[in-house]
Amino acid sequence: MHCFVYASQRKADTYLWLPRRDDFSSLPESLILLLGDLRFVLEVELSGERKLPHEDAQQVIEHLRDQGWHLQLPPRETLAAANHPAYRSSLRQDDGEE
């Protein structure tokens, strides 16, 4: 699967993976607000067998197919939580509290 990776300019070491370049249409508004401006950093061909430094390639592919994006958080935060629907909903609540 061909993938495009963007770095968040607001959240250090946070990356957004997309299946189509510059197609942010599938992102929830709360995630767009959380990430802020995005900078394109990488175009990569991803397969389930490919080794990634901080991510499970098969999980990235599944998220891209299922929801149209994958969020890679810094190592101190769990990836499962970041891509979980409950986490995405909590982003909306957090945005309103700041």
Side-chain angles (χ1 to χ4, degrees):
M1 172 178 254
H2 210 72
C3 303
F4 302 89
V5 184
Y6 298 81
S8 170
Q9 300 298 288
R10 182 177 292 165
K11 309 257 316 158
D13 300 320
T14 301
Y15 299 91
L16 178 69
W17 294 66
L18 295 174
R20 289 171 300 283
R21 186 169 183 153
D22 298 333
D23 182 1
F24 305 102
S25 62
S26 64
L27 299 179
E29 184 178 341
S30 58
L31 183 59
I32 293 169
L33 293 172
L34 176 78
L35 296 175
D37 290 336
L38 297 169
R39 177 178 49 90
F40 177 74
V41 293
L42 179 68
E43 181 175 346
V44 63
E45 188 66 35
L46 193 58
S47 70
E49 297 79 38
R50 184 172 182 136
K51 300 291 182 201
L52 299 172
H54 301 289
E55 298 295 291
D56 177 282
Q58 190 58 46
Q59 187 176 36
V60 172
I61 291 169
E62 287 174 20
H63 289 157
L64 292 173
R65 286 187 181 145
D66 293 346
Q67 64 192 18
W69 55 275
H70 174 81
L71 183 62
Q72 178 179 332
L73 293 174
R76 69 183 179 276
E77 299 182 43
T78 65
L79 186 59
N83 288 288
H84 191 276
Y87 177 84
R88 293 195 308 265
S89 295
S90 73
L91 293 177
R92 288 186 207 110
Q93 295 168 357
D94 291 344
D95 286 342
E97 295 175 1
E98 291 182 343

